[in-house]
Amino acid sequence: EAQVTQNPRYLITVTGKKLTVTCSQNMNHEYMSWYRQDPGLGLRQIYYSMNVEVTDKGDVPEGYKVSRKEKRNFPLILESPSPNQTSLYFCASSLKAQVSSYNSPLHFGNGTRLTVT
Amino acid sequence: AQSVAQPEDQVNVAEGNPLTVKCTYSVSGNPYLFWYVQYPNRGLQFLLKYITGDNLVKGSYGFEAEFNKSQTSFHLKKPSALVSDSALYFCAVRGAYSGAGSYQLTFGKGTKLSVIP
């Protein structure tokens, strides 16, 4: 089954304790992205990746890191989490970030609910 | 910069009645427009998209959307609402292709649809 898999689904941690949220897709997609969802703010993009070893900042990158060493994986790293990073996080992927697939929709994972105390 | 507005935080409709969820957008050039639905504890699921052509687009689960260029709107509609349609709906836009960086999707803040039995 074609899917985007995030782990864990739920995570409670304390301020300053480094954590990683994993994201993996099995559709051979080149484009991957991380979003956070907060009430009243909708989805805001954190980081995105056009392809392996190519990443760039989205709208709210502060406090986050990403890496794209393989096409299928795009982990989100919080080096020193803070309470304002408590949120619902989504990973998404799509075919290619180019004109021939410009109308491709995003495929989303089921989300990771992170609480930082 | 591109933007999406969903003017209603919540829409309530009786089961069997027609429903409309509103969306307006602002982009450079011709827009690529998308609707997504989010059920509780799930990721966003693609419903439908408008790229070009017929202004009325049909999608999954009986939903359709009407593109209106002069009003820069892309309202989501369904002739007869079901209780199972209750969910959070997001409109998203991608502007005209101008290189890989223009691939980003901008999401609205979401509209909660409640269908009352």
Side-chain angles (χ1 to χ4, degrees):
Chain A
E1 179 188 353
Q3 58 186 2
V4 178
T5 303
Q6 293 178 231
N7 281 297
R9 289 294 307 275
Y10 301 92
L11 180 58
I12 301 174
T13 190
V14 296
T15 299
K17 186 176 181 182
K18 180 179 179 180
L19 66 90
T20 299
V21 183
T22 64
C23 173
S24 179
Q25 50 89 9
N26 61 1
M27 296 168 279
N28 202 35
H29 284 169
E30 290 191 359
Y31 179 88
M32 296 186 75
S33 182
W34 276 102
Y35 294 86
R36 61 178 289 173
Q37 182 181 8
D38 301 289
L41 297 177
L43 271 78
R44 295 179 293 168
Q45 191 177 47
I46 303 170
Y47 269 93
Y48 63 94
S49 171
M50 299 291 192
N51 211 329
V52 176
E53 302 290 2
V54 181
T55 63
D56 209 345
K57 297 177 180 178
D59 298 319
V60 289
E62 293 77 21
Y64 304 95
K65 284 177 56 178
V66 293
S67 68
R68 188 90 183 274
K69 293 182 170 55
E70 315 163 88
K71 184 182 271 191
R72 65 183 294 123
N73 295 323
F74 190 45
L76 179 69
I77 303 155
L78 284 72
E79 295 269 3
S80 182
S82 62
N84 64 11
Q85 293 178 297
T86 293
S87 187
L88 180 58
Y89 291 86
F90 288 102
C91 180
S93 72
S94 68
L95 200 57
K96 286 186 181 184
Q98 62 186 39
V99 64
S100 63
S101 54
Y102 204 61
N103 59 0
S104 298
L106 286 172
H107 298 258
F108 283 82
N110 282 332
T112 296
R113 186 168 292 280
L114 172 65
T115 302
V116 184
T117 60
Chain B
Q2 58 196 38
S3 64
V4 175
Q6 292 181 242
E8 301 153 318
D9 292 335
Q10 177 146 357
V11 170
N12 297 321
V13 63
E15 187 176 24
N17 282 3
L19 70 87
T20 298
V21 182
K22 296 179 180 177
C23 170
T24 59
Y25 66 89
S26 174
V27 289
S28 298
N30 293 323
Y32 294 73
L33 293 154
F34 302 81
W35 275 103
Y36 287 83
V37 60
Q38 183 182 25
Y39 298 104
N41 298 316
R42 299 295 300 274
L44 279 70
Q45 297 177 32
F46 169 69
L47 269 182
L48 51 79
K49 65 183 177 184
Y50 171 82
I51 308 302
T52 187
D54 194 345
N55 289 342
L56 187 64
V57 178
K58 295 189 184 299
S60 307
Y61 314 121
F63 282 93
E64 56 191 26
E66 186 170 13
F67 172 66
N68 186 315
K69 187 172 184 177
S70 62
Q71 296 185 4
T72 62
S73 67
F74 188 55
H75 300 332
L76 182 70
K77 301 182 179 185
K78 188 173 183 181
S80 178
L82 300 173
V83 172
S84 57
D85 293 330
S86 298
L88 190 57
Y89 290 82
F90 289 94
C91 182
V93 68
R94 185 180 277 158
Y97 184 78
S98 60
S102 65
Y103 194 75
Q104 311 318 317
L105 264 183
T106 298
F107 286 85
K109 295 182 179 180
T111 298
K112 182 178 180 181
L113 174 67
S114 294
V115 181
I116 302 156

